[in-house]
């Protein structure tokens, strides 16, 4: 509730997609300049089967040495959706990755195998492209998304002709966060294709749900003093003038459906690249069969 109330006021969350899933493995350099989000609406009762399909698809792409990377995440609130997020340096970079995939016969076979099965599990899908707004983000470049488990996502729709109001409100909030040294981070992406103009996505990564519980404390007196009475008044005016709607949902990262960059995976190998269940079971059995004292 707090984040919704502050939408523009606290321009909130969405901390750092931090090198989300950039197409090429490279040294960490903050959020990608551009992201592509594949949004899939999963039919009721089909989530488990859909996960199995996507997990096999991701493994097959990895085995075939796909140059593309992505992070898959499941909605825990709102509509039953799965998002696949990839990061690029530009539209041209995204195009080159797509062209590279088209020249790899093994990947074409994989795509043909799994894409034909998806209709059974999905009720709809869309692809969204958005660009990173560093001027509206807070500590986005200081985060490796690989150490987090959830993404707090707020979708803001701005009235036509009021983008400058949204920008001003966000910058007021960012300045107050900086002054109060609020211990959170967010990254703002402006949608350019796939959704109505004036749509902004604000991402804040979470270690656990305890981070959500802490919102009232992290935006307590110190932060309120940093905003000030004049700031609150101005934010209320801008919020009223600019916002059509704002919706916040929480997504859980799903390593089974992801093909993360080496850097993201290295941040927590046990989470992003867990050992297959069968292998773990076999190792456990061998350990149990060892003679005592060995």
């Amino acid at each position: 509730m707090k984040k919704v109330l502050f939408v523009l006021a606290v321009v909130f969350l969405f901390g750092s997609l931090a090198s989300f899933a950039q197409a090429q493995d490279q040294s960490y350099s903050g959020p990608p300049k551009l992201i592509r989000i594949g949004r899939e609406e999963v039919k009721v009762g089909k989530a488990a089967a859909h996960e199995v399909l996507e997990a096999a698809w991701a493994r097959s792409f990895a085995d075939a040495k796909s140059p593309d990377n992505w992070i898959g995440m499941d909605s825990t609130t709102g509509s039953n959706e799965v998002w696949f997020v990839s990061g690029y340096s530009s539209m041209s970079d995204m195009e080159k990755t797509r062209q590279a995939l088209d020249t790899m016969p093994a990947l074409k076979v994989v795509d043909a195998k799994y894409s034909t099965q998806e209709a059974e599990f999905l009720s709809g899908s869309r692809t969204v492209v958005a660009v990173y707004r560093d001027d509206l983000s807070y500590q986005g470049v200081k985060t490796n998304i690989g150490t987090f488990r959830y993404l707090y996502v707020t979708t803001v729709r701005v009235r036509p002709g009021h983008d400058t109001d949204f920008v001003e409100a966000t910058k007021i909030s960012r300045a107050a966060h900086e002054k109060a040294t609020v211990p959170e981070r967010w990254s703002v992406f402006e949608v350019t294709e796939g959704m109505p103009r004036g749509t902004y996505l604000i991402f804040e990564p979470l270690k656990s749900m305890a981070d959500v519980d802490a919102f009232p404390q992290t935006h307590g007196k110190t932060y309120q003093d940093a905003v000030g009475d004049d700031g609150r008044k101005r934010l209320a005016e801008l919020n009223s003038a600019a916002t059509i709607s704002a919706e916040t949902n929480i997504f859980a990262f799903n390593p089974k459906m992801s093909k993360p960059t080496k850097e993201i995976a290295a941040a927590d190998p046990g989470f992003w690249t867990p050992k297959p269940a069968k292998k773990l079971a076999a190792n456990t059995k061998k350990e149990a069969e060892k003679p005592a004292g060995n």
Side-chain angles (χ1 to χ4, degrees):
M1 174 65 115
K2 182 233 35 155
K3 288 294 184 181
V4 174
L5 294 177
F6 276 98
V7 191
L8 292 181
V10 189
V11 137
F12 76 147
L13 5 103
F14 287 39
S16 94
L17 255 206
S19 76
F20 215 119
Q22 291 180 283
Q24 292 79 31
D25 286 314
Q26 54 191 30
S27 59
Y28 173 63
S29 59
K33 294 181 179 179
L34 179 147
I35 58 173
R36 183 190 66 216
I37 305 172
R39 297 177 54 178
E40 297 185 347
E41 301 171 21
V42 183
K43 293 179 181 178
V44 175
K46 296 293 186 178
H50 177 252
E51 180 184 66
V52 171
L53 175 73
E54 293 293 351
W57 204 337
R59 288 196 304 272
S60 296
F61 258 57
D63 292 341
K65 309 301 180 184
S66 167
D68 209 4
N69 293 287
W70 64 85
I71 285 180
M73 53 190 187
D74 305 296
S75 62
T76 65
T77 62
S79 301
N80 188 24
E81 293 190 7
V82 174
W83 287 16
F84 299 94
V85 186
S86 298
Y88 306 91
S89 60
S90 64
M91 290 291 285
S92 177
D93 181 32
M94 184 170 68
E95 178 186 36
K96 289 177 181 177
T97 300
R98 183 70 261 172
Q99 291 173 339
L101 295 174
D102 290 339
T103 64
M104 302 176 71
L107 291 179
K108 286 188 175 182
V109 172
V110 170
D111 237 5
K113 175 182 178 180
Y114 293 106
S115 60
T116 56
Q117 302 177 47
E118 273 206 305
E120 178 183 351
F121 310 119
L122 304 182
S123 58
S125 65
R126 72 164 56 205
T127 300
V128 177
V129 175
V131 295
Y132 178 57
R133 291 292 301 268
D134 181 63
D135 59 323
L136 306 181
S137 303
Y138 175 62
Q139 298 197 109
V141 299
K142 298 181 179 180
T143 304
N144 186 330
I145 203 72
T147 63
F148 293 81
R149 295 292 173 270
Y150 300 91
L151 197 64
Y152 199 68
V153 178
T154 297
T155 302
V156 180
R157 289 285 313 285
V158 175
R159 299 182 193 283
H162 286 271
D163 288 80
T164 55
D165 292 334
F166 173 79
V167 169
E168 182 183 347
T170 301
K171 290 184 175 180
I172 290 174
S173 175
R174 171 175 164 166
H177 276 72
E178 292 173 341
K179 184 177 181 179
T181 61
V182 177
E184 67 179 7
R185 57 200 61 76
W186 71 71
S187 295
V188 177
F189 288 84
E190 180 178 357
V191 173
T192 55
E193 287 87 26
M195 295 179 74
R197 290 286 182 178
T199 300
Y200 293 82
L201 301 174
I202 307 171
F203 297 156
E204 180 174 6
L206 308 172
K207 294 279 188 180
S208 71
M209 291 300 181
D211 291 345
V212 179
D213 294 332
F215 285 160
Q217 288 71 44
T218 55
H219 294 85
K221 187 177 185 302
T222 301
Y223 172 74
Q224 295 302 326
D225 288 347
V227 176
D229 292 338
D230 290 341
R232 274 186 289 278
K233 180 179 179 180
R234 182 56 178 159
L235 284 171
E237 294 171 350
L238 293 169
N239 190 27
S240 177
T243 308
I244 294 176
S245 65
E247 179 179 353
T248 297
N249 286 297
I250 300 175
F251 288 79
F253 294 143
N254 189 326
K256 295 178 183 178
M257 298 192 295
S258 301
K259 184 179 175 293
T261 62
K262 291 180 180 178
E263 180 202 46
I264 290 176
D268 191 342
F271 177 76
W272 291 107
T273 55
K275 294 182 179 179
K278 290 183 179 180
K279 186 174 182 179
L280 284 174
N283 290 341
T284 301
K285 183 177 180 180
K286 288 181 180 179
E287 289 297 324
E289 293 175 347
K290 283 185 178 180
N294 285 3

